[in-house]
Amino acid sequence: MLTIPQIEALRRTNPQLYEALKRLAGASLGPNQGWSLDDQIHDGADFARVSSAALTSNKIDPTKAGVLMRGSVPPAWSGGFTYVSTTSIITWSWSGLTIFRADGTSTAVTNGSLAVTGLSAATTYYFYPFWDETTAQLKFVPGGVGSPANAQTAKTNFAAQAQSLQGLIPLSQGAMVAATTSSGTGGGSGGGSGSCLRSGTVVLTKERGTVEIESCKMGEHLRCPAATGAESWTRITRLEIRDADTFIRLHFSNAESLDVTPHHIFTLADGSPMRAERLCLSDILVGRFGSVTLKRIEAVVEQGQKVSVGCEPTHEFFAGRHAASIRTHNYTFSS
């Protein structure tokens, strides 16, 4: 039997002989009864056939069923990371992380933690977590400082690229930020769904009326949808403000708009969740006073702040640029 390298070598070095062999093979058993030279091939260690179901105009097409939709095809995920720190140690912990892939499969990541020691006091570090599809492990981009050397001393395009290489799934929107203390202990959170609203977004509170979200305090209540179809209040249990420079700006049919991080979760009119970066024009979302249509989408790259909010018992609330009129999720869809 011929191998793919032999066929390609023959086609390249002696195309006349290649074509003659093809004609001979096709006519060997009479009209329509012959065999194809290209069919007499074994898959090998270095070369293999590609299913025609994976091709468009002889090119591999990631939209086709013949392509395994994993790795660098953007997934969705839920859950998040938290950290505690001392003057020289940052310990990241993760729980409830689930990866949802484009092919309909999902992976529940085992809860775990990572302690990075040998760090400098009162210093900010950057971390880039990812899921390795080959080893089925959660890892962090190496090459920084500490032990293990996963603490990056600055945000870099190289680290962000390393987090998103083929076969890897990034588990944060860029770097997760953590800092050691000057004394005592500290902590915070990051990564996960990266589901945040931009500062300046307004919400409706029970205590103070319509206010900007960054002014809210834990214990205050946000206007939210109720299971009965009416409205209720949900209590803020977590609120963090961090620097950010990448947002998706969504314009709706009710003249409202929202700036959110790319992984922020919305509810479509059919009840399904959808990340901001995957929304399409004319998608219908749930508003406070009825359905709204997405009219325009913009990518905004400028320095700003993102606000992540956790709330109980309802994990949704209303928000907007001018009024609290768009139904949105809190910081993690799985909560």
Side-chain angles (χ1 to χ4, degrees):
M1 293 292 183
L2 295 172
T3 65
I4 289 178
Q6 290 171 330
I7 292 288
E8 291 304 315
L10 180 61
R11 189 200 307 267
R12 184 176 58 255
T13 59
N14 197 331
Q16 293 84 3
L17 178 58
Y18 169 79
E19 292 299 330
L21 287 174
K22 282 188 67 175
R23 289 193 296 270
L24 178 62
S28 62
L29 295 177
N32 302 319
Q33 299 296 315
W35 51 271
S36 168
L37 181 65
D38 292 325
D39 286 341
Q40 310 305 306
I41 299 172
H42 285 297
D43 293 339
D46 299 321
F47 300 89
R49 292 163 293 182
V50 176
S51 169
S52 60
L55 303 177
T56 296
S57 299
N58 293 321
K59 295 181 180 180
I60 295 177
D61 186 344
T63 67
K64 294 295 187 69
V67 176
L68 187 61
M69 303 294 283
R70 293 186 176 228
S72 57
V73 176
W77 68 88
S78 64
F81 294 79
T82 59
Y83 78 89
V84 294
S85 61
T86 66
T87 56
S88 61
I89 302 172
I90 293 175
T91 302
W92 283 104
S93 299
W94 53 90
S95 62
L97 276 173
T98 302
I99 298 167
F100 302 93
R101 301 183 187 81
D103 64 350
T105 63
S106 64
T107 294
V109 180
T110 302
N111 297 345
S113 63
L114 173 75
V116 180
T117 62
L119 303 175
S120 300
T123 303
T124 298
Y125 295 98
Y126 305 90
F127 298 81
Y128 295 82
F130 60 89
W131 176 259
D132 188 322
E133 288 278 39
T134 302
T135 63
Q137 292 178 310
L138 189 152
K139 300 179 180 179
F140 288 77
V141 172
V145 298
S147 178
N150 298 140
Q152 311 293 328
T153 56
K155 293 182 180 179
T156 66
N157 290 334
F158 174 80
Q161 179 188 43
Q163 181 191 33
S164 304
L165 295 175
Q166 188 174 16
L168 309 181
I169 296 176
L171 294 178
S172 67
Q173 179 200 339
M176 298 194 309
V177 182
T180 53
T181 61
S182 56
S183 63
T185 60
S189 63
S193 63
S195 189
C196 303
L197 298 165
R198 189 174 186 176
S199 60
T201 300
V202 299
V203 292
L204 179 60
T205 65
K206 184 178 181 180
E207 294 79 8
R208 296 182 294 129
T210 299
V211 299
E212 293 184 338
I213 192 169
E214 64 270 26
S215 73
C216 291
K217 307 294 183 184
M218 287 193 297
E220 289 188 318
H221 295 79
L222 302 178
R223 197 62 170 167
C224 69
T228 59
E231 294 183 0
S232 185
W233 299 99
T234 187
R235 182 174 177 272
I236 297 175
T237 58
R238 172 185 182 274
L239 189 142
E240 293 187 0
I241 303 172
R242 296 185 179 276
D243 291 336
D245 57 12
T246 302
F247 301 94
I248 303 293
R249 181 168 295 162
L250 305 171
H251 298 265
F252 301 97
S253 58
N254 63 347
E256 190 55 84
S257 66
L258 271 176
D259 284 9
V260 299
T261 52
H263 291 84
H264 192 81
I265 302 292
F266 289 91
T267 299
L268 297 181
D270 63 3
S272 60
M274 184 66 66
R275 292 192 330 205
E277 64 183 359
R278 291 191 172 182
L279 290 170
C280 300
L281 293 179
S282 297
D283 273 346
I284 301 175
L285 286 76
V286 179
R288 185 180 176 194
F289 305 109
S291 298
V292 294
T293 303
L294 185 56
K295 306 295 288 186
R296 192 163 88 246
I297 304 172
E298 298 177 65
V300 178
V301 181
E302 60 187 25
Q303 286 299 319
Q305 290 184 313
K306 62 181 182 180
V307 184
S308 60
V309 175
C311 45
E312 298 281 353
T314 303
H315 302 295
E316 296 175 295
F317 56 92
F318 298 111
R321 182 61 182 173
H322 306 290
S325 62
I326 305 298
R327 182 175 173 180
T328 182
H329 288 271
N330 67 177
Y331 81 104
T332 170
F333 177 68
S334 66
S335 58

